[in-house]
Amino acid sequence: MNKTAALKFPHLATSSKKKALKRITLNLTLDEAQNLEKYCEQTGKPAIDVIRELIKALP
């Protein structure tokens, strides 16, 4: 990246600020999946947000 671009877009100048992501696959029983779907409908939240909130609440 050239200096001009780095000055205009400082958030693009370094990739060290970029969060590393890890993809996981979660196998749920039919009951667990239905429970998650029901909760998502009640709260209006997508499943990914519900799961992230639960993970963040872990000690």
Side-chain angles (χ1 to χ4, degrees):
M1 179 175 285
N2 65 38
K3 279 187 170 185
T4 305
L7 292 174
K8 286 184 179 180
F9 306 101
H11 62 282
L12 297 177
T14 61
S15 61
S16 62
K17 293 180 183 178
K18 202 174 196 181
K19 289 185 178 182
L21 298 177
K22 182 171 183 174
R23 181 176 299 268
I24 63 168
T25 300
L26 182 63
N27 295 319
L28 301 174
T29 65
L30 182 58
D31 287 342
E32 291 168 337
Q34 289 173 340
N35 195 19
L36 178 59
E37 288 174 13
K38 182 179 175 184
Y39 183 82
C40 290
E41 288 174 8
Q42 291 172 349
T43 61
K45 296 178 183 179
I48 189 65
D49 290 346
V50 172
I51 293 167
R52 281 191 177 127
E53 289 173 6
L54 291 169
I55 291 171
K56 286 178 182 179
L58 293 173

